[in-house]
Amino acid sequence: MEDHKIVQRNLALQREWYGEPLGDRVRRLVVAFNVSQAQLADVLGISAPMLSQVMSGRRAKIGNPAVLARMIMLERKVLTPDVATGAPEALQRALDDVRESKPTVSRDSLPVNGDESVAYPVLRRVADRTELQQAADMLHEDFPAIAELFRRAIRAASR
């Protein structure tokens, strides 16, 4: 198979497996944390050449589940208030936390912070209190957990 066709096939597989090409996800992390690809590879626990191959589509998947878990951890840390400020010390602290993590992945768990409060600032940025309340009211019957998340975001804003 030609290189171009292999890359296209791998990118299609990445969309299927990860929701989008890994290159897009990695580039967002590089920008969000203001690091090089090599520095990000170190944090994730993968070699820089391997990360480059995954990003370019020359390789379809991240074979080590702990590497994928660290990437998800970083993606979630971007949403935390201290990291969202872009303060260099907060960015470095988040990178260090993920680098030092020893995630284990099973069918029933992902090694990520389950603290839903990280979503509150994001929700409040995209919708005001009234819109969140209206959405919660509309979703309550069919999606009560999402409705309650919106309500908690509203309450957190008033603290």
Side-chain angles (χ1 to χ4, degrees), residues 25-120:
R25 291 175 70 172
V26 169
R27 278 186 280 285
R28 281 196 299 272
L29 291 173
V30 164
V31 170
F33 287 97
N34 194 28
V35 294
S36 68
Q37 287 179 23
Q39 290 168 315
L40 182 62
D42 177 60
V43 170
L44 296 175
I46 189 172
S47 72
M50 178 73 73
L51 183 62
S52 177
Q53 289 175 2
V54 167
M55 288 180 68
S56 67
R58 290 190 310 270
R59 187 175 286 267
K61 68 178 181 173
I62 295 175
N64 184 337
V67 172
L68 180 59
R70 285 188 196 97
M71 186 169 80
I72 293 168
M73 290 169 75
L74 281 176
E75 288 173 331
R76 291 192 177 181
K77 283 188 179 285
V78 168
L79 302 175
T80 61
D82 58 333
V83 172
T85 68
E89 58 278 356
L91 297 176
Q92 190 59 54
R93 193 170 38 253
L95 291 168
D96 291 343
D97 286 348
V98 171
R99 179 186 294 110
E100 294 165 10
S101 70
K102 303 285 187 232
T104 57
V105 180
S106 70
R107 289 183 342 172
D108 300 322
S109 67
L110 279 176
V112 292
N113 182 350
D115 182 6
E116 68 186 30
S117 67
V118 299
Y120 300 162

